[in-house]
Amino acid sequence: MKAMNRKIGVGVLWNLTGLLVSRGASTLFMLFLARILAPEAFGLVAMVTVVFELANAFVSSGLGAALIRSKNVSDVDLSTVFYMNLVLSLLAYLLIYFGAPYISVFYSQSELTPLVRVMGLVVFINATKIVQVAILSRNMNFKHQMKANTLGVIVSGCLALVAAWIGWGVWSLVVQMLGSALISAIVLWFASAWRPSLQVSGESFWRLFRFGKNLLAEGLLDVIYQNSFVLVIGRFFSAEITGLYFIAKKISNLLSQQLTGAVQQATYPALSTLQDDNAALLLKYRKIMQLMMFVIAPVMGLMAGVSPVLFAVFFDDRWGGAVPYLQLLCIVGALYPLHALNMNLLNVKGRSDLIFKVGLVKKSVNISMLVAAVPYGVFGIVCSQVLGSCLALIPNTYYSSRLVGYSPLNQFRDAVKPLASSVLAGGGAWYLANTGLMPDVPMLIVALLMGGAIYVVVSVLFRVEGGVMVCNKVSGNFRWDGR
C-alpha cells in the first residue's frame, strides 16, 4: 500500500507540475491573444471545436483506456490499437473534409469551410499518440507526458502570437491548435521506446473494444453534451457572444477540469489494481474526493468573487460581457470533482456499461433543459447548465454507493464544508473588489489574499477534512482535528 501511495503521489506531483506549467503558459497565451484578436475569432473556433472533439473520441474508441486498465498487454494488442486508430482517423477526416460546407451553412459563416478542413488534420496527429500515452500511463510515467504537453503549449503559443501579430486573425488559433498537437506527439514518440510491429489481431481488438465500446458511446455523448451549449449559442446568437461564452467556459474549466483530470490520470492506473478490494477503494476515493473539493472549491469561489476586476485587469472592454457567464460557470466548476471522480470509480470497477447508461440519462435531461432555455437568451442557457450540473449528481453518486458503499450522504458531507467555506471566501473577495478603494491590479491582489485568508480561517473552524490531510502531510506536528 505504501508503494502505491508513493506511485500515486509521484504521479499526481508530475501531473500537477505539468498542469501548472502547461496550463499557466496556455492561460498567458490566451490572454495575450485575446488582447490582439476579437471575440469573433474565438467564437468561430468554438463553433467547430465540437467536430474535432467528436472525431478524437471516435478515433480513440475507448481503446486507450482499455489498454491502461488491462492487467496484461501484449505487443500485438498495442500494434492492433495503433493501426485501428490510424484507420479510424482517416475515416473521421474524410467526414470532416466533405462535411465542412454543411457546417458553414449551419452556422451561416462561410469562412468556416477552409478553417474546418485545415483544423481537421489534428485528428490524424492525435491518433498517432494514443498508444504512446497509454504505455506511459501504465508505467506511471507522467514526467514525459508533462514535458510533451508543456513543450507543445509553449512552442505553439509563441507561433500563434507571431501569426496574430502579423494579421493572420482566426488562423493564428489554428496554428496554435495544430502546433501543440504535432509537437507533443513528436516528443512522446521520442520518450517511448515502443514502435508498432506488423501484427494485427482481431481477437485483441474485440477484447479491448468490449470494454472500450461503452466508453466510446459515453465519450461521444459527453462531447456532444459539453459542446451543445456552444453549438446552440453559435447557431442562434452571434459569433461575438459565442466567443464571450467560450472564453468564460475556458477559464472556469482551466483549473476545475484540468486539476481533477490530472489527479484522475495519475490515480487511475494505480487504483485499477484495487478494483477487487471495495474497502480499499472506498478509503482511497473518499480521501481523493475530500482533497479535491478542498482545493478546487475555493479556487472557483474566489474566481467568481473577483471576476469583474479580473477581466478589467487582463482583458479589454470587448470582453466585459463574459463576466456573468464566468460567475455562473464557477458553480459548475466547483461541483466538477464530484461528477468526475464518481465516473472514474465506475471505470476502475470496469462498469463502462453503467457509465454509458448514466451518461445517457443525465445528458438527455440536460439537453432538454438547454433547448427549453434558448428563448431566455445566453444567460438563461448558462443557468440551465448550472441546474443540470446539480441534478446530474443524483445518478452519478447512486452507483458509487451501490458498488463500494460511498453513499450520496457521505459525499455530501465531504463536499459541503469546503463548498460553504468557499462561498464565504468568494463573498468576502467580491465585497472588497466592488468597493473601488484602489486601482484594479492591487485591488485584485488584496481581494484574493483576503478571500484566501477567510477560506483558511473558516476551514480551520469547520475542520475541513481535505485541509487536515494537507496540513498533516506538510507537518506531522500541526493537526486541525486537535488529535
Side-chain angles (χ1 to χ4, degrees):
M1 188 64 75
K2 285 184 178 178
M4 178 175 294
N5 287 339
R6 186 176 181 281
K7 277 187 175 181
I8 292 176
V10 172
V12 170
L13 183 63
W14 275 114
N15 268 336
L16 291 181
T17 303
L19 174 76
L20 291 174
V21 176
S22 64
R23 295 302 167 183
S26 177
T27 303
L28 283 177
F29 286 122
M30 182 183 71
L31 294 175
F32 286 134
L33 287 168
R35 286 278 183 179
I36 302 172
L37 302 174
E40 288 83 351
F42 287 88
L44 289 172
V45 171
M47 288 175 182
V48 296
T49 297
V50 61
V51 176
F52 306 110
E53 292 193 3
L54 277 173
N56 284 328
F58 171 69
V59 170
S60 172
S61 304
L63 297 177
L67 285 177
I68 296 172
R69 184 183 176 276
S70 296
K71 292 178 180 175
N72 299 298
V73 173
S74 66
D75 186 62
V76 176
D77 294 336
L78 297 173
S79 296
T80 300
V81 172
F82 176 77
Y83 291 121
M84 183 55 62
N85 289 153
L86 291 185
V87 171
L88 291 175
S89 68
L90 175 62
L91 293 174
Y93 183 73
L94 289 175
L95 285 172
I96 290 171
Y97 185 89
F98 291 108
Y102 300 101
I103 296 172
S104 295
V105 171
F106 178 79
Y107 286 114
S108 302
Q109 302 283 349
S110 58
E111 58 267 55
L112 284 181
T113 298
L115 206 65
V116 168
R117 286 175 171 170
V118 176
M119 289 174 72
L121 295 172
V122 78
V123 178
F124 273 128
I125 301 170
N126 286 336
T128 63
K129 61 184 182 183
I130 291 174
V131 173
Q132 302 292 13
V133 169
I135 293 171
L136 292 173
S137 296
R138 283 180 61 85
N139 296 328
M140 302 289 288
N141 186 344
F142 300 103
K143 180 179 177 180
H144 284 118
Q145 295 183 58
M146 184 275 287
K147 288 180 178 177
N149 293 332
T150 302
L151 196 61
V153 168
I154 292 175
V155 175
S156 65
C158 292
L159 292 173
L161 278 176
V162 172
W165 187 258
I166 61 177
W168 281 26
V170 66
W171 286 99
S172 56
L173 299 176
V174 179
V175 169
Q176 185 182 30
M177 183 177 179
L178 291 176
S180 178
L182 181 61
I183 291 164
S184 65
I186 292 172
V187 174
L188 286 170
W189 274 86
F190 275 108
S192 171
W194 177 83
R195 296 293 181 266
S197 60
L198 297 176
Q199 302 178 79
V200 176
S201 164
E203 186 278 331
S204 291
F205 170 75
W206 288 113
R207 173 167 41 81
L208 294 168
F209 188 67
R210 272 197 295 273
F211 175 78
K213 64 181 181 183
N214 289 315
L215 293 183
L216 168 63
E218 163 59 13
L220 293 174
L221 276 177
D222 193 56
V223 168
I224 292 172
Y225 170 69
Q226 293 294 338
N227 290 277
S228 59
F229 293 89
V230 167
L231 193 148
V232 169
I233 292 171
R235 177 66 180 83
F236 292 101
F237 302 91
S238 67
E240 180 184 1
I241 291 178
T242 307
L244 295 176
Y245 172 82
F246 179 71
I247 283 292
K249 185 182 176 187
K250 202 172 180 64
I251 294 173
S252 68
N253 287 350
L254 191 64
L255 287 174
S256 64
Q257 294 196 11
Q258 297 302 328
L259 191 57
T260 304
V263 174
Q264 279 184 294
Q265 188 181 9
T267 57
Y268 180 58
L271 292 177
S272 292
T273 63
L274 299 176
Q275 55 189 283
D276 299 322
D277 188 343
N278 288 343
L281 269 182
L282 173 60
L283 180 65
K284 286 292 177 193
Y285 264 97
R286 193 159 187 184
K287 286 186 176 180
I288 293 170
M289 183 74 79
Q290 291 167 343
L291 190 60
M292 294 308 299
M293 291 305 298
F294 175 74
V295 173
I296 291 177
V299 172
M300 293 294 104
L302 291 176
M303 188 181 292
V306 303
S307 55
V309 69
L310 185 75
F311 270 77
V313 170
F314 292 106
F315 295 87
D316 57 33
D317 293 339
R318 297 174 298 176
W319 295 94
V323 170
Y325 306 151
L326 175 59
Q327 290 174 320
L328 285 171
L329 290 173
C330 283
I331 302 173
V332 179
L335 298 176
Y336 183 75
L338 284 167
H339 297 295
L341 293 175
N342 276 289
M343 291 298 100
N344 199 41
L345 178 57
L346 298 186
N347 244 336
V348 168
K349 294 293 289 181
R351 297 305 303 270
S352 57
D353 57 322
L354 292 180
I355 294 176
F356 173 67
K357 291 174 183 174
V358 170
L360 188 62
V361 170
K362 66 186 183 187
K363 289 174 178 63
S364 300
V365 173
N366 291 346
I367 288 177
S368 299
M369 290 196 300
L370 165 64
V371 173
V374 169
Y376 301 97
V378 178
F379 191 79
I381 289 173
V382 181
C383 286
S384 77
Q385 192 172 358
V386 175
L387 179 61
S389 178
C390 296
L391 292 176
L393 289 174
I394 298 172
N396 279 352
T397 56
Y398 174 75
Y399 285 106
S400 298
S401 177
R402 291 281 301 273
L403 291 176
V404 300
Y406 195 6
S407 68
L409 179 60
N410 282 337
Q411 294 197 41
F412 174 78
R413 285 172 176 162
D414 290 338
V416 70
K417 285 194 268 186
L419 286 173
S421 304
S422 301
V423 170
L424 293 174
W430 174 84
Y431 176 79
L432 182 61
N434 283 280
T435 57
L437 293 175
M438 57 187 83
D440 289 336
V441 174
M443 177 60 76
L444 177 62
I445 296 171
V446 172
L448 287 173
L449 289 175
M450 192 186 83
I454 292 173
Y455 183 71
V456 171
V457 171
V458 177
S459 295
V460 172
L461 293 175
F462 285 173
R463 295 179 179 176
V464 177
E465 291 81 1
V468 174
M469 279 189 278
V470 171
C471 287
N472 288 345
K473 188 69 177 177
V474 173
S475 170
N477 297 321
F478 185 89
R479 303 180 76 92
W480 286 4
D481 54 1
R483 290 179 294 170

